[in-house]
Amino acid sequence: MERSLPMTEPMPGLPDRVTIYEVGPRDGLQNEKTAVPVEVKAEFVRRLLGAGLETVELTSFVPRRWVPQLGDAEELLDLLGGVGRGRHRPVLVPNEKGLDRALERGVSSVAIFGSATETFARRNLNRSVEESVEMFAPVVTRALDAGAWVRAYVSMCFGDPWEGPVPVQQVVDACCRLMDLGCDQLSIGDTIGVGTPGHVLRLLDALEDAGIGTESTAVHFHDTYGQALANTTAALRRGVRVVDASTGGLGGCPYAKSATGNLATEDLVWALDGLGIEHGVDLDALVATSAWMAEQLGRPAPSRVVRALSG
Protein backbone atom coordinates (compact mmCIF):
# COMPACT_ATOMS: atom_id res chain seq x y z
CA MET A 1 0.00 0.00 0.00
CA GLU A 2 1.28 3.44 -0.87
CA ARG A 3 2.47 5.44 2.11
CA SER A 4 0.02 8.24 2.96
CA LEU A 5 1.68 9.82 6.00
CA PRO A 6 2.53 12.36 7.20
CA MET A 7 -0.49 14.59 6.65
CA THR A 8 0.41 17.98 5.21
CA GLU A 9 -0.25 20.89 7.54
CA PRO A 10 1.68 24.03 6.53
CA MET A 11 2.87 26.56 9.11
CA PRO A 12 3.00 30.29 8.42
CA GLY A 13 6.37 31.92 7.92
CA LEU A 14 8.11 28.93 6.34
CA PRO A 15 9.61 28.70 2.83
CA ASP A 16 7.93 26.94 -0.10
CA ARG A 17 11.10 25.01 -0.92
CA VAL A 18 14.25 23.92 0.94
CA THR A 19 17.54 22.68 -0.51
CA ILE A 20 18.92 19.65 1.31
CA TYR A 21 22.71 19.63 1.35
CA GLU A 22 23.55 15.94 1.80
CA VAL A 23 26.73 15.30 3.80
CA GLY A 24 26.45 11.53 4.31
CA PRO A 25 29.31 10.38 2.08
CA ARG A 26 31.71 12.83 3.72
CA ASP A 27 30.60 13.87 7.21
CA GLY A 28 28.53 10.74 7.68
CA LEU A 29 31.30 8.25 6.94
CA GLN A 30 34.40 10.09 8.17
CA ASN A 31 34.09 8.80 11.73
CA GLU A 32 33.24 5.17 10.95
CA LYS A 33 35.52 2.65 12.67
CA THR A 34 34.98 0.03 9.97
CA ALA A 35 36.65 0.73 6.64
CA VAL A 36 34.07 1.32 3.92
CA PRO A 37 35.23 0.12 0.48
CA VAL A 38 35.40 2.86 -2.12
CA GLU A 39 33.05 0.86 -4.37
CA VAL A 40 30.42 0.97 -1.61
CA LYS A 41 30.90 4.72 -1.23
CA ALA A 42 30.39 5.22 -4.97
CA GLU A 43 27.22 3.14 -4.92
CA PHE A 44 26.03 5.12 -1.88
CA VAL A 45 26.42 8.36 -3.83
CA ARG A 46 24.60 6.95 -6.86
CA ARG A 47 21.69 5.80 -4.70
CA LEU A 48 21.47 9.21 -3.03
CA LEU A 49 21.32 10.91 -6.41
CA GLY A 50 18.74 8.38 -7.53
CA ALA A 51 16.59 9.32 -4.54
CA GLY A 52 16.46 12.90 -5.79
CA LEU A 53 19.13 14.60 -3.72
CA GLU A 54 20.63 17.32 -5.88
CA THR A 55 23.56 18.43 -3.71
CA VAL A 56 25.79 15.68 -2.29
CA GLU A 57 29.10 16.41 -0.59
CA LEU A 58 31.27 13.55 -1.77
CA THR A 59 34.48 13.38 0.26
CA SER A 60 37.41 15.31 1.67
CA PHE A 61 40.85 15.74 0.17
CA VAL A 62 42.61 15.44 3.51
CA PRO A 63 45.77 13.40 4.17
CA ARG A 64 44.90 9.77 4.85
CA ARG A 65 46.68 9.95 8.23
CA TRP A 66 44.24 12.70 9.34
CA VAL A 67 41.00 10.95 8.40
CA PRO A 68 41.71 7.39 7.22
CA GLN A 69 38.10 6.80 6.11
CA LEU A 70 38.43 9.52 3.45
CA GLY A 71 41.85 8.61 2.14
CA ASP A 72 40.39 7.32 -1.14
CA ALA A 73 39.09 10.64 -2.51
CA GLU A 74 40.76 10.31 -5.91
CA GLU A 75 39.54 6.74 -6.36
CA LEU A 76 35.99 7.75 -5.46
CA LEU A 77 35.95 10.59 -7.99
CA ASP A 78 37.35 8.28 -10.65
CA LEU A 79 34.66 5.69 -9.97
CA LEU A 80 31.86 8.26 -10.10
CA GLY A 81 32.99 9.80 -13.37
CA GLY A 82 30.73 12.57 -14.65
CA VAL A 83 28.13 12.26 -11.88
CA GLY A 84 30.84 13.20 -9.37
CA ARG A 85 31.57 16.57 -10.93
CA GLY A 86 29.85 19.94 -11.02
CA ARG A 87 28.47 22.70 -8.82
CA HIS A 88 26.38 20.29 -6.74
CA ARG A 89 29.17 17.80 -5.94
CA PRO A 90 31.32 19.67 -3.40
CA VAL A 91 34.35 18.23 -1.66
CA LEU A 92 36.14 19.43 1.46
CA VAL A 93 39.66 20.83 1.04
CA PRO A 94 41.76 21.66 4.14
CA ASN A 95 44.58 23.55 2.42
CA GLU A 96 46.21 24.31 -0.92
CA LYS A 97 47.51 20.77 -1.30
CA GLY A 98 43.99 19.46 -0.89
CA LEU A 99 42.75 22.01 -3.41
CA ASP A 100 45.43 20.93 -5.89
CA ARG A 101 44.28 17.32 -5.59
CA ALA A 102 40.63 18.32 -6.04
CA LEU A 103 41.26 20.54 -9.07
CA GLU A 104 43.34 17.80 -10.69
CA ARG A 105 40.23 15.59 -10.54
CA GLY A 106 38.06 18.24 -12.20
CA VAL A 107 36.22 19.34 -9.05
CA SER A 108 34.38 22.67 -9.37
CA SER A 109 32.80 22.98 -5.93
CA VAL A 110 34.80 23.02 -2.70
CA ALA A 111 34.35 23.65 1.01
CA ILE A 112 36.71 24.88 3.71
CA PHE A 113 36.25 24.04 7.37
CA GLY A 114 36.97 26.66 10.04
CA SER A 115 36.21 26.96 13.73
CA ALA A 116 34.62 29.51 16.04
CA THR A 117 36.84 28.41 18.94
CA GLU A 118 40.59 28.36 19.42
CA THR A 119 40.73 24.91 21.02
CA PHE A 120 38.93 23.14 18.19
CA ALA A 121 40.94 25.07 15.60
CA ARG A 122 44.11 23.75 17.24
CA ARG A 123 42.79 20.19 17.49
CA ASN A 124 41.27 20.07 14.00
CA LEU A 125 43.73 22.17 11.98
CA ASN A 126 46.74 22.49 14.31
CA ARG A 127 46.40 26.26 13.95
CA SER A 128 44.81 29.20 15.72
CA VAL A 129 41.64 30.69 14.27
CA GLU A 130 43.66 33.54 12.78
CA GLU A 131 46.28 31.20 11.33
CA SER A 132 43.57 29.02 9.81
CA VAL A 133 42.05 32.03 8.06
CA GLU A 134 45.49 32.86 6.66
CA MET A 135 45.77 29.28 5.42
CA PHE A 136 42.34 29.38 3.79
CA ALA A 137 42.82 32.75 2.03
CA PRO A 138 44.86 31.42 -0.93
CA VAL A 139 42.64 28.32 -1.10
CA VAL A 140 39.53 30.44 -1.61
CA THR A 141 41.25 32.84 -4.01
CA ARG A 142 42.61 30.05 -6.18
CA ALA A 143 39.33 28.14 -6.12
CA LEU A 144 37.37 31.21 -7.21
CA ASP A 145 39.96 31.99 -9.90
CA ALA A 146 39.43 28.43 -11.18
CA GLY A 147 35.68 29.11 -11.43
CA ALA A 148 34.75 26.96 -8.43
CA TRP A 149 31.89 27.54 -6.00
CA VAL A 150 33.14 27.82 -2.42
CA ARG A 151 31.42 27.04 0.88
CA ALA A 152 32.74 27.97 4.33
CA TYR A 153 31.93 25.72 7.27
CA VAL A 154 32.28 27.17 10.75
CA SER A 155 32.17 24.57 13.52
CA MET A 156 31.49 24.92 17.26
CA CYS A 157 29.00 27.75 16.70
CA PHE A 158 26.85 26.93 19.73
CA GLY A 159 29.09 25.15 22.20
CA ASP A 160 32.54 23.62 22.49
CA PRO A 161 33.42 20.52 24.58
CA TRP A 162 36.57 22.22 25.88
CA GLU A 163 35.55 25.87 26.07
CA GLY A 164 31.85 25.53 26.90
CA PRO A 165 29.24 28.02 25.60
CA VAL A 166 30.55 30.07 22.67
CA PRO A 167 29.65 33.79 22.69
CA VAL A 168 27.51 34.79 19.72
CA GLN A 169 29.82 37.66 18.75
CA GLN A 170 32.80 35.31 18.72
CA VAL A 171 30.95 33.10 16.24
CA VAL A 172 29.97 36.08 14.09
CA ASP A 173 33.58 37.27 13.98
CA ALA A 174 34.78 33.83 12.84
CA CYS A 175 32.07 33.63 10.18
CA CYS A 176 32.85 37.11 8.85
CA ARG A 177 36.54 36.32 8.55
CA LEU A 178 35.83 33.39 6.26
CA MET A 179 33.05 35.02 4.26
CA ASP A 180 35.24 38.08 3.73
CA LEU A 181 37.58 35.82 1.78
CA GLY A 182 34.88 35.63 -0.91
CA CYS A 183 33.05 32.40 -0.08
CA ASP A 184 29.66 31.87 -1.70
CA GLN A 185 27.93 30.18 1.22
CA LEU A 186 28.31 29.86 4.98
CA SER A 187 27.31 26.76 6.95
CA ILE A 188 27.01 27.30 10.69
CA GLY A 189 27.64 24.09 12.60
CA ASP A 190 26.35 22.88 15.95
CA THR A 191 29.14 20.32 16.12
CA ILE A 192 28.22 18.83 19.51
CA GLY A 193 24.46 19.38 19.23
CA VAL A 194 23.92 21.73 22.18
CA GLY A 195 22.03 24.49 20.35
CA THR A 196 18.41 25.39 21.04
CA PRO A 197 15.91 27.34 18.86
CA GLY A 198 16.31 30.67 20.66
CA HIS A 199 20.08 30.44 20.35
CA VAL A 200 19.72 29.70 16.63
CA LEU A 201 17.57 32.78 16.09
CA ARG A 202 19.94 35.00 18.03
CA LEU A 203 22.93 33.87 15.99
CA LEU A 204 21.12 34.27 12.67
CA ASP A 205 20.03 37.77 13.66
CA ALA A 206 23.59 38.67 14.65
CA LEU A 207 24.93 37.35 11.34
CA GLU A 208 22.31 39.40 9.49
CA ASP A 209 23.39 42.52 11.40
CA ALA A 210 26.98 41.78 10.36
CA GLY A 211 26.01 41.59 6.68
CA ILE A 212 25.68 37.80 6.27
CA GLY A 213 22.07 37.24 5.26
CA THR A 214 20.09 34.05 5.38
CA GLU A 215 20.15 33.86 1.57
CA SER A 216 23.81 32.81 1.84
CA THR A 217 23.57 30.84 5.10
CA ALA A 218 23.02 27.12 5.67
CA VAL A 219 22.56 25.30 8.97
CA HIS A 220 24.30 22.13 10.09
CA PHE A 221 22.86 20.57 13.24
CA HIS A 222 23.93 17.45 15.10
CA ASP A 223 21.24 15.64 17.05
CA THR A 224 23.07 14.84 20.28
CA TYR A 225 20.24 16.15 22.47
CA GLY A 226 17.39 15.63 20.00
CA GLN A 227 17.21 19.32 19.06
CA ALA A 228 18.24 19.20 15.39
CA LEU A 229 14.74 19.34 13.88
CA ALA A 230 13.54 22.01 16.30
CA ASN A 231 16.61 24.09 15.51
CA THR A 232 16.09 23.57 11.79
CA THR A 233 12.48 24.75 11.98
CA ALA A 234 13.60 27.88 13.84
CA ALA A 235 16.19 28.58 11.15
CA LEU A 236 13.65 28.11 8.36
CA ARG A 237 11.31 30.57 10.03
CA ARG A 238 14.14 33.10 10.03
CA GLY A 239 14.72 32.70 6.30
CA VAL A 240 17.31 29.94 5.92
CA ARG A 241 16.72 27.84 2.79
CA VAL A 242 19.63 25.35 2.87
CA VAL A 243 19.82 22.58 5.47
CA ASP A 244 22.67 20.11 5.89
CA ALA A 245 21.68 16.53 6.67
CA SER A 246 23.14 13.04 6.57
CA THR A 247 21.25 10.04 5.26
CA GLY A 248 20.51 7.61 8.07
CA GLY A 249 21.72 10.11 10.66
CA LEU A 250 25.31 8.97 10.16
CA GLY A 251 28.12 11.17 11.34
CA GLY A 252 30.39 12.48 14.02
CA CYS A 253 33.69 14.27 14.26
CA PRO A 254 37.05 12.52 14.75
CA TYR A 255 38.34 15.57 16.64
CA ALA A 256 35.33 16.10 18.95
CA LYS A 257 34.30 12.84 20.60
CA SER A 258 31.06 14.33 21.96
CA ALA A 259 29.81 15.01 18.43
CA THR A 260 27.18 12.43 17.52
CA GLY A 261 25.31 11.94 14.28
CA ASN A 262 23.96 14.65 12.03
CA LEU A 263 20.33 15.49 11.50
CA ALA A 264 19.04 12.48 9.56
CA THR A 265 18.00 13.35 6.02
CA GLU A 266 14.95 11.07 6.31
CA ASP A 267 13.81 12.79 9.50
CA LEU A 268 14.20 16.16 7.77
CA VAL A 269 12.29 15.00 4.68
CA TRP A 270 9.44 13.62 6.82
CA ALA A 271 9.16 16.97 8.62
CA LEU A 272 9.29 18.95 5.37
CA ASP A 273 6.60 16.71 3.86
CA GLY A 274 4.39 17.37 6.85
CA LEU A 275 4.90 21.10 6.43
CA GLY A 276 4.18 21.02 2.71
CA ILE A 277 7.69 22.24 1.83
CA GLU A 278 9.13 21.08 -1.49
CA HIS A 279 12.55 19.39 -1.47
CA GLY A 280 12.66 17.01 -4.46
CA VAL A 281 13.57 13.86 -2.51
CA ASP A 282 11.82 10.48 -2.70
CA LEU A 283 11.59 9.44 0.95
CA ASP A 284 10.95 5.77 0.25
CA ALA A 285 14.01 5.56 -2.00
CA LEU A 286 16.05 7.36 0.63
CA VAL A 287 14.93 4.97 3.37
CA ALA A 288 15.87 2.03 1.15
CA THR A 289 19.30 3.60 0.63
CA SER A 290 19.77 3.99 4.39
CA ALA A 291 18.71 0.41 5.02
CA TRP A 292 21.21 -0.75 2.40
CA MET A 293 24.00 1.38 3.89
CA ALA A 294 23.20 0.10 7.38
CA GLU A 295 23.78 -3.42 6.07
CA GLN A 296 27.18 -2.37 4.72
CA LEU A 297 28.11 -0.89 8.11
CA GLY A 298 26.69 -3.79 10.09
CA ARG A 299 24.47 -1.72 12.37
CA PRO A 300 21.03 -0.04 12.31
CA ALA A 301 20.62 3.49 11.00
CA PRO A 302 20.17 6.05 13.82
CA SER A 303 17.34 7.76 11.91
CA ARG A 304 13.96 7.35 13.60
CA VAL A 305 12.13 7.60 10.28
CA VAL A 306 14.27 4.87 8.76
CA ARG A 307 13.49 2.60 11.69
CA ALA A 308 9.78 3.36 11.51
CA LEU A 309 9.43 2.86 7.76
CA SER A 310 11.71 -0.13 7.37
CA GLY A 311 10.72 -1.97 10.53
Side-chain angles (χ1 to χ4, degrees):
M1 183 174 69
E2 184 177 351
R3 182 174 55 81
S4 58
L5 295 174
M7 292 176 59
T8 300
E9 294 290 347
M11 288 173 55
L14 295 178
D16 295 328
R17 184 175 180 85
V18 162
T19 296
I20 298 174
Y21 185 106
E22 172 63 41
V23 299
R26 197 274 302 173
D27 199 13
L29 296 181
Q30 70 177 4
N31 209 38
E32 288 296 317
K33 293 180 175 60
T34 303
V36 179
V38 67
E39 295 81 7
V40 171
K41 294 179 182 178
E43 180 63 18
F44 186 34
V45 172
R46 294 188 191 102
R47 290 181 183 230
L48 293 173
L49 297 175
L53 286 157
E54 181 182 20
T55 301
V56 179
E57 190 169 270
L58 301 177
T59 187
S60 179
F61 281 84
V62 296
R64 188 183 295 268
R65 67 182 183 279
W66 289 8
V67 185
Q69 251 325 344
L70 302 181
D72 53 9
E74 280 89 354
E75 294 92 332
L76 177 62
L77 268 291
D78 290 346
L79 279 175
L80 289 172
V83 301
R85 308 300 193 276
R87 156 70 178 78
H88 299 289
R89 304 291 181 271
V91 301
L92 198 69
V93 294
N95 49 36
E96 287 193 88
K97 289 183 179 179
L99 177 66
D100 288 339
R101 292 170 58 196
L103 293 178
E104 285 174 3
R105 280 302 190 277
V107 168
S108 59
S109 184
V110 301
I112 57 175
F113 195 90
S115 173
T117 66
E118 292 292 341
T119 305
F120 188 66
R122 288 287 183 188
R123 288 175 175 264
N124 189 40
L125 297 167
N126 198 30
R127 287 169 170 78
S128 68
V129 171
E130 184 61 38
E131 289 168 342
S132 66
V133 174
E134 293 173 359
M135 177 181 69
F136 288 136
V139 175
V140 175
T141 297
R142 289 184 52 208
L144 293 173
D145 287 346
W149 179 86
V150 182
R151 166 184 258 217
Y153 281 102
V154 177
S155 57
M156 301 298 175
C157 290
F158 297 87
D160 179 289
W162 302 280
E163 299 184 17
V166 185
V168 168
Q169 191 56 51
Q170 179 176 323
V171 177
V172 171
D173 291 344
C175 292
C176 287
R177 287 180 180 184
L178 292 184
M179 292 302 283
D180 285 347
L181 299 179
C183 299
D184 297 289
Q185 187 179 85
L186 168 72
S187 176
I188 53 174
D190 186 8
T191 314
I192 59 173
V194 295
T196 53
H199 195 170
V200 172
L201 296 179
R202 186 177 171 215
L203 176 55
L204 289 173
D205 287 347
L207 288 170
E208 185 83 41
D209 290 342
I212 304 176
T214 53
E215 71 280 355
S216 59
T217 302
V219 290
H220 185 114
F221 296 121
H222 286 231
D223 207 28
T224 313
Y225 297 93
Q227 301 301 298
L229 270 178
N231 291 338
T232 297
T233 303
L236 296 181
R237 297 195 73 166
R238 199 52 115 231
V240 169
R241 299 292 184 271
V242 181
V243 179
D244 296 3
S246 175
T247 293
L250 299 174
C253 177
Y255 299 99
K257 301 306 180 184
S258 54
T260 57
N262 294 273
L263 168 62
T265 311
E266 297 85 357
D267 297 4
L268 174 61
V269 169
W270 177 275
L272 295 177
D273 282 347
L275 291 166
I277 298 174
E278 292 293 327
H279 48 74
V281 178
D282 182 328
L283 179 56
D284 293 320
L286 196 61
V287 167
T289 296
S290 279
W292 171 82
M293 194 65 201
E295 291 178 1
Q296 311 307 309
L297 298 174
R299 58 181 174 80
S303 166
R304 292 173 176 83
V305 169
V306 171
R307 294 183 183 186
L309 295 183
S310 60

